[in-house]
Amino acid sequence: MQQLGRQARQAGREISKADSGQKNEALYNIAAAIAETREILAGENRKDLDAGRANGLDSAALDRLELTPTRIDAMIEGLKQVAALPDPVGEISNLVYRPSGIQVGQMRVPLGVIGIIYESRPNVTVDAAALCLKSGNACILRGGSESIHSNRAIASCIAKGLGEAGLPEQAVQVVETTDRAAVGELVRLQQYVDVIVPRGGKSLIERISAEATIPVIKHLDGICHVYIDGKADIDKAVAIAMNAKTHRYGVCNAMETLLVAESIAPAVLPVLAEKYVEKGVELRGCLKTCSLLKQAIRATEDDWHTEYLAPILSIKIVADIDEAIEHINIYSSAHTEAIVTEDYTLARRFLREVDSSSVMVNASTRFADGFEYGLGAEIGISTDKLHARGPVGLHGLTSLKFIVLGDGHIRQ
Amino acid sequence: MQQLGRQARQAGREISKADSGQKNEALYNIAAAIAETREILAGENRKDLDAGRANGLDSAALDRLELTPTRIDAMIEGLKQVAALPDPVGEISNLVYRPSGIQVGQMRVPLGVIGIIYESRPNVTVDAAALCLKSGNACILRGGSESIHSNRAIASCIAKGLGEAGLPEQAVQVVETTDRAAVGELVRLQQYVDVIVPRGGKSLIERISAEATIPVIKHLDGICHVYIDGKADIDKAVAIAMNAKTHRYGVCNAMETLLVAESIAPAVLPVLAEKYVEKGVELRGCLKTCSLLKQAIRATEDDWHTEYLAPILSIKIVADIDEAIEHINIYSSAHTEAIVTEDYTLARRFLREVDSSSVMVNASTRFADGFEYGLGAEIGISTDKLHARGPVGLHGLTSLKFIVLGDGHIRQ
C-alpha cells in the first residue's frame, strides 16, 4: 500500500500538469478500450457473479454486481460525458488589484491523491477514475472483493487509455488485493493520500470515518423531508410527494418523512394515502395523521429517525412552517428537503433557513443528483458541512489556492 | 461545555437567519462598547499582565498579552472593517435552468458553530467573534488562561453589542474556565460544534488535531520559499528576498529558504549576502552557496525542513525551475512560495505547478495575509487542502448548499 501511495503521489504531480486535451484523450481512449473488450469484461464479470452466487450473495447484491450490456454502454457514455465537461483545473477567479499594487486571485487546483473505497458496483471504478482524472487528481480505488475480476478488467482498460495518451498509468490504481486490512492501511496513508471518499452503506462509512487519519468526504443517511405548506398547489404537492417516495425506494434522495400543514392536510392527505396504498407503501403517522387516515398506523419516535430505503413513509401534521423547520432541524440528516408552496415569502424562508445540502421549492427530492444538477457525474453526495455539500462532482475534487502577481512588490 | 454547545447550536440557528443590517449593528455596538470601557479593559488586562509576570512569562509572551491603547484602537477599527465587508450569507451563484426544467444553483451558508482555540493574544477574541458573527456562525472561544481577565472584559462588550442589536448573546461565548480539560471536551463536541480553528504554535495545533473528532482547519508550519530564476530582474529579486526574510522574522509568511538559479547566483547572491549580514541574518548554504559566499556556513538536511522564525536563512543554488519545484515539493509546508522572474512561460508554470496555499510571481511572501488579500481579516491561515487554503476569511467560514427551484417538477 505504501508503494501504491508513493506511485500515486508521483502520478498526481504529473496528472495535475496535464492539459485538458491530453486528459480528454485518455478518457476517450478508456471508452474505446472498454468498447473493444466488452466480451472479455463480460466474461470476467461472470466469474464474479458465479463466485457471488457460490458465496450466497442475495439477488440485490448480484444485481449491483452485474455488468449488463446496457451498463457497459452507460460506462462508455459516462466517460464521454466527463470528457465533454469543462476542465476545472487552473481556472482563475476574482483576480483583482489590491491597494498595495499586487494582483490577488484564486486558482482552482486538484486535491492531489483521492482514495475511493466502494462496494460491489464495478461501474464505480470507471466513474470515479474519470472524475479524478479530469480534475487532475490521481486516485487509488478499492472496490469490493466480490467484484475483483470485473475491476481488474476495467483497470487494464484504464491503464491502456492513460498510457496511449502519454499519461502515467499509476494515476489510476486499483487495489488488487481483496485483503480487508488494505482498507485500514489506505485510510491512514496521510503522507500520500489527501482525501478518502467512501461509497457504500452507512456501516462502511462510519467504520472508515472512525479509522481514517485523512479527511473523509462522508455520505451518511438520507432522511429527506417534503413539507406540504398550507399554500401548496394540491396537484403539485401530490405529484412531488408521490415522486419523492415511490420513484425509487432504495435511494438516498427518496423522501422518508412527509410533513403536512394542518390547514391543508384534509385536502391533500386522503388523496395521497390512497395513491400510496395502491403502490404498496406502508404509512406511519402522528396522532393527527392517524385520525385523518384509516390506512396509517402510529409512528414511533424511532420512525422520525429512520431512513427506510423501503416502501414505508412516516407522516406528520404540523402547525406551520416553523414547526416543519423545527422537525427538520431535529430529525433530518441534512441531505435534501423540499417545500411545496405557492407562497413567495415562505419559499424564501425555507431556502434560507433549512440547513441541508440540497433545499428545494416545488421539486421532488429525487433531483438531488450530480447528473440532474449538471455536474456531469458525482463521486458521492456529501452530508458534511465543510468543503463540499451535496453531490460531489469535479469541483468537489478540487480546491482554491491563492495566486499573487506582482512587479517586484514588497510589503511596507 | 455540553451546555455551552447546546446554547451555541441554538444561537447559531438564530444568527444564521439574521439580516446583514442587524449583524452590522451588532459589530458597531461592540466597537462602541469597547471604546466606552477602554479604561476597564486596560485594568483587566493589567491583572493578566501582573499574573503573567508573577508566573514568569517571557517578554515576548507578555508583549502578545498586552492591550496597548493602539491595540485597543485596532480592535475597534477591525470591527468596523468587518462590518463594512459584504455579507457572504445567502449569496446565490450559478443559478441555471437544467434540461429537466428545474433551476439549480448554490447558496452560501454559515457552517454553524465554530470552536476557536487560541493562545495569549486577547485581540483574537474580538477578531474571531467579528468574523463568525458576520458570516452567520455562532462561536465558542477558548483563549489562553493567561489572558482570562482581558477575555472576560471583551466578552462582556461583545454580549452587550449583540444584545443591543437584538441578537442572542450566546452567539459568541467565551469559555470562562481556565481548566485545560475544557479544550479536550470542546474538540469532541461533534453534536454542537461544526469546525475547530486552532490558532497558536505547532504543538497546540498538532495536539488538537490528534484529539479532535470534529474537522479542524489547520495552520501548521510556514516553510516558505523564494526562487530567484535565471531571468529575474536583479533589483526586484534583491528587494523581494530582503523583504520576505527581514520584514518580520517570527511570522509564518516569512521566507525560510532561498532558492537561486545557478546562472544568476554570482550576480545576485553576493549582493544579498552583504545586506543580510548587515541585518544580522545568519546564512546557511548548500555546497555551491558556501563556495560563492564567505558569509555562509553549511546547511544540514535539517535546515531545509526548518521554520526558523528567526534571523536565519537557508540558501540553495539550483540548476533551474525544475530543481526548484522539486525542492519545494519535498521541503515546503505548502504555505507560500514565490518566484522572481521576467520569463512569461516560467511564471505561468510556477503558478500552475507549485502546490501551495499561496503562489506568487514577483511579490514578497509577506503578502500572504487576509488583510493584504482583501478578506478584511483572517481567522487563520489554512495549510490544509480541503475546504479552505491560505488565509481564511468570511468565505472560509461558510460553505455552499445546493438550491433547486421548480414548478411542481418531478423526476422522470
Side-chain angles (χ1 to χ4, degrees):
Chain A
M1 199 58 80
Q2 286 280 335
Q3 199 195 331
L4 247 58
R6 252 193 314 275
Q7 289 171 353
R9 176 64 76 213
Q10 184 54 42
R13 295 224 169 93
E14 291 180 48
I15 205 100
S16 74
K17 296 186 263 181
D19 62 35
S20 310
Q22 213 178 357
K23 292 188 286 189
N24 290 343
E25 193 189 328
L27 291 165
Y28 286 118
N29 291 345
I30 298 167
I34 290 173
E36 282 159 22
T37 58
R38 50 193 308 151
E39 299 310 315
I40 300 168
L41 242 172
E44 293 300 306
N45 185 243
R46 269 191 301 277
K47 291 185 195 169
D48 287 331
L49 288 167
D50 291 343
R53 262 179 231 109
N55 290 326
L57 286 191
D58 64 27
S59 62
L62 287 169
D63 175 59
R64 284 198 296 274
L65 188 51
E66 190 173 2
L67 283 178
T68 61
T70 317
R71 285 182 183 168
I72 294 178
D73 288 342
M75 280 169 28
I76 293 169
E77 185 50 35
L79 284 158
K80 292 179 184 168
Q81 281 185 16
V82 173
L85 292 172
D87 189 340
V89 177
E91 178 193 300
I92 292 171
S93 51
N94 308 318
L95 190 65
V96 296
Y97 282 95
R98 297 287 307 150
S100 63
I102 60 171
Q103 214 178 347
V104 179
Q106 286 182 294
M107 183 190 279
R108 195 168 283 285
V109 291
L111 294 175
V113 177
I114 322 279
I116 298 169
I117 298 162
Y118 51 105
E119 291 176 337
S120 52
R121 300 188 335 161
N123 59 311
V124 173
T125 308
V126 163
D127 295 352
L131 286 172
C132 289
L133 172 55
K134 181 83 186 209
S135 57
N137 293 287
C139 60
I140 299 177
L141 306 175
R142 209 291 186 177
S145 54
E146 61 288 352
S147 52
I148 186 76
H149 292 97
S150 314
N151 286 340
R152 279 187 194 144
I154 294 171
S156 72
C157 294
I158 295 172
K160 185 161 178 271
L162 285 165
E164 285 173 359
L167 292 173
E169 295 184 5
Q170 287 81 8
V172 180
Q173 295 178 100
V174 173
V175 179
E176 297 270 334
T177 169
T178 59
D179 184 2
R180 271 199 163 231
V183 171
E185 245 186 281
L186 178 58
V187 302
R188 294 172 161 275
L189 219 56
Q190 64 226 57
Q191 195 184 348
Y192 300 123
V193 181
D194 298 294
V195 60
I196 295 286
V197 183
R199 289 188 60 162
K202 198 179 171 189
S203 68
L204 173 81
I205 292 165
E206 285 182 334
R207 184 164 53 87
I208 284 168
S209 306
E211 286 181 18
T213 56
I214 300 166
V216 178
I217 294 180
K218 281 190 290 294
H219 173 197
L220 292 168
D221 312 26
I223 304 181
C224 304
H225 296 74
V226 172
Y227 167 56
I228 301 178
D229 173 57
K231 296 278 173 56
D233 174 289
I234 302 270
D235 291 341
K236 292 178 190 171
V238 170
I240 290 168
M242 288 309 293
N243 186 259
K245 183 69 227 177
T246 68
H247 185 251
R248 272 180 77 184
Y249 295 111
V251 289
C252 60
N253 56 16
M255 167 179 63
E256 305 294 8
T257 299
L258 176 65
L259 303 170
V260 185
E262 198 155 15
S263 60
I264 207 170
V268 75
L269 269 182
V271 186
L272 272 172
E274 201 169 311
K275 286 176 176 279
Y276 281 130
V277 169
E278 214 168 89
K279 291 254 185 190
V281 177
E282 179 187 328
L283 304 178
R284 304 186 184 174
C286 66
L287 189 60
K288 287 180 183 164
T289 301
C290 289
S291 67
L292 197 63
L293 302 178
K294 58 182 186 312
Q295 303 95 327
I297 60 166
R298 275 302 299 279
T300 65
E301 173 68 15
D302 268 357
D303 280 302
W304 314 119
H305 285 288
T306 302
E307 183 184 20
Y308 300 114
L309 298 172
I312 307 172
L313 176 70
S314 53
I315 304 175
K316 185 175 184 184
I317 292 178
V318 295
D320 52 18
I321 193 172
D322 292 305
E323 194 183 342
I325 293 178
E326 182 63 20
H327 181 97
I328 290 169
N329 279 341
I330 296 172
Y331 298 102
S332 164
S333 62
H335 187 297
T336 300
E337 332 293 339
I339 186 173
V340 187
T341 190
E342 296 299 312
D343 187 292
Y344 168 81
T345 301
L346 293 188
R348 283 183 84 217
R349 266 195 70 193
F350 195 85
L351 283 173
R352 171 88 186 247
E353 295 180 22
V354 171
D355 188 24
S356 295
S357 72
S358 289
V359 186
M360 305 183 170
V361 179
N362 293 347
S364 167
T365 55
R366 285 283 292 128
F367 282 111
D369 172 278
F371 278 101
E372 294 294 336
Y373 284 0
L375 310 182
E378 66 186 31
I379 205 149
I381 294 184
S382 166
T383 53
D384 284 329
K385 286 185 154 188
L386 247 66
H387 188 66
R389 297 187 77 169
V392 179
L394 293 176
H395 273 204
L397 297 176
T398 62
S399 63
L400 297 171
K401 72 182 180 191
F402 283 96
I403 60 169
V404 175
L405 309 179
D407 193 32
H409 287 83
I410 60 172
R411 187 144 166 210
Q412 304 301 340
Chain B
M1 197 58 81
Q2 286 280 335
Q3 199 196 332
L4 247 58
R6 251 192 316 274
Q7 289 171 353
R9 176 62 78 212
Q10 184 53 42
R13 294 225 169 92
E14 292 180 46
I15 205 101
S16 75
K17 296 186 264 181
D19 63 33
S20 311
Q22 212 178 357
K23 293 188 286 189
N24 290 342
E25 191 190 329
L27 291 166
Y28 286 117
N29 290 345
I30 298 167
I34 290 174
E36 280 159 23
T37 57
R38 50 192 311 150
E39 299 309 316
I40 299 169
L41 242 174
E44 294 299 307
N45 184 243
R46 268 192 300 278
K47 290 185 195 168
D48 288 331
L49 288 167
D50 291 345
R53 262 178 231 107
N55 290 327
L57 285 191
D58 64 27
S59 61
L62 287 169
D63 175 58
R64 284 198 296 275
L65 188 50
E66 190 172 3
L67 283 179
T68 61
T70 316
R71 285 182 182 169
I72 294 178
D73 289 342
M75 279 167 29
I76 294 169
E77 184 51 33
L79 284 157
K80 293 180 182 169
Q81 281 185 17
V82 172
L85 291 173
D87 188 340
V89 178
E91 178 193 299
I92 292 172
S93 50
N94 307 317
L95 190 65
V96 296
Y97 282 95
R98 297 287 307 148
S100 63
I102 59 171
Q103 214 180 348
V104 179
Q106 287 182 295
M107 183 190 278
R108 195 168 282 285
V109 291
L111 293 175
V113 177
I114 322 277
I116 299 170
I117 298 161
Y118 51 103
E119 290 175 336
S120 51
R121 301 187 336 161
N123 59 312
V124 172
T125 308
V126 163
D127 294 351
L131 286 171
C132 290
L133 171 55
K134 182 83 188 208
S135 57
N137 292 288
C139 60
I140 299 177
L141 306 175
R142 209 290 186 176
S145 53
E146 61 286 352
S147 52
I148 187 74
H149 292 98
S150 315
N151 286 341
R152 279 186 193 144
I154 294 171
S156 70
C157 294
I158 294 173
K160 185 159 178 271
L162 284 165
E164 285 172 0
L167 292 173
E169 294 185 4
Q170 287 82 5
V172 179
Q173 295 178 98
V174 173
V175 178
E176 296 269 336
T177 167
T178 60
D179 183 3
R180 271 199 163 230
V183 170
E185 244 186 283
L186 178 58
V187 302
R188 295 172 161 276
L189 220 56
Q190 64 226 55
Q191 196 184 346
Y192 300 122
V193 181
D194 298 293
V195 59
I196 295 286
V197 183
R199 290 187 59 162
K202 197 180 171 189
S203 69
L204 173 81
I205 292 165
E206 284 181 334
R207 184 164 54 85
I208 284 168
S209 306
E211 285 180 19
T213 57
I214 300 168
V216 178
I217 294 180
K218 281 189 291 291
H219 173 197
L220 291 167
D221 313 24
I223 304 180
C224 303
H225 296 75
V226 172
Y227 168 56
I228 301 178
D229 173 58
K231 296 279 172 57
D233 174 290
I234 302 270
D235 291 341
K236 292 178 191 171
V238 170
I240 289 168
M242 288 308 295
N243 186 260
K245 183 69 227 178
T246 69
H247 184 251
R248 274 180 76 184
Y249 295 111
V251 288
C252 60
N253 57 16
M255 167 178 64
E256 304 293 6
T257 298
L258 177 65
L259 303 170
V260 185
E262 196 155 17
S263 60
I264 208 170
V268 74
L269 269 182
V271 186
L272 271 173
E274 200 168 310
K275 286 176 178 281
Y276 279 130
V277 170
E278 213 168 88
K279 291 256 186 188
V281 177
E282 179 186 326
L283 304 178
R284 304 185 185 175
C286 67
L287 190 60
K288 286 179 183 165
T289 301
C290 290
S291 70
L292 197 64
L293 302 178
K294 59 181 184 314
Q295 303 97 327
I297 61 166
R298 274 304 297 280
T300 65
E301 174 69 15
D302 269 357
D303 280 302
W304 314 118
H305 286 288
T306 302
E307 182 182 21
Y308 299 115
L309 298 172
I312 307 173
L313 177 69
S314 53
I315 304 175
K316 185 175 183 184
I317 292 176
V318 294
D320 52 21
I321 192 173
D322 292 305
E323 194 183 341
I325 292 178
E326 183 63 20
H327 180 97
I328 289 169
N329 279 341
I330 297 172
Y331 298 102
S332 164
S333 62
H335 187 299
T336 299
E337 332 293 338
I339 187 174
V340 187
T341 190
E342 296 300 312
D343 186 292
Y344 167 81
T345 301
L346 294 187
R348 283 184 84 219
R349 266 195 68 193
F350 195 85
L351 282 173
R352 170 90 186 244
E353 294 180 22
V354 171
D355 188 24
S356 295
S357 73
S358 289
V359 186
M360 306 183 169
V361 178
N362 293 345
S364 167
T365 55
R366 285 284 293 127
F367 282 111
D369 173 277
F371 278 103
E372 293 293 338
Y373 284 0
L375 310 183
E378 66 187 28
I379 205 150
I381 294 184
S382 165
T383 54
D384 284 329
K385 286 186 155 190
L386 247 64
H387 188 67
R389 298 187 75 169
V392 179
L394 293 176
H395 273 205
L397 297 176
T398 62
S399 62
L400 296 171
K401 71 181 179 192
F402 283 96
I403 59 169
V404 175
L405 308 180
D407 192 33
H409 287 83
I410 60 171
R411 186 143 166 212
Q412 303 301 339

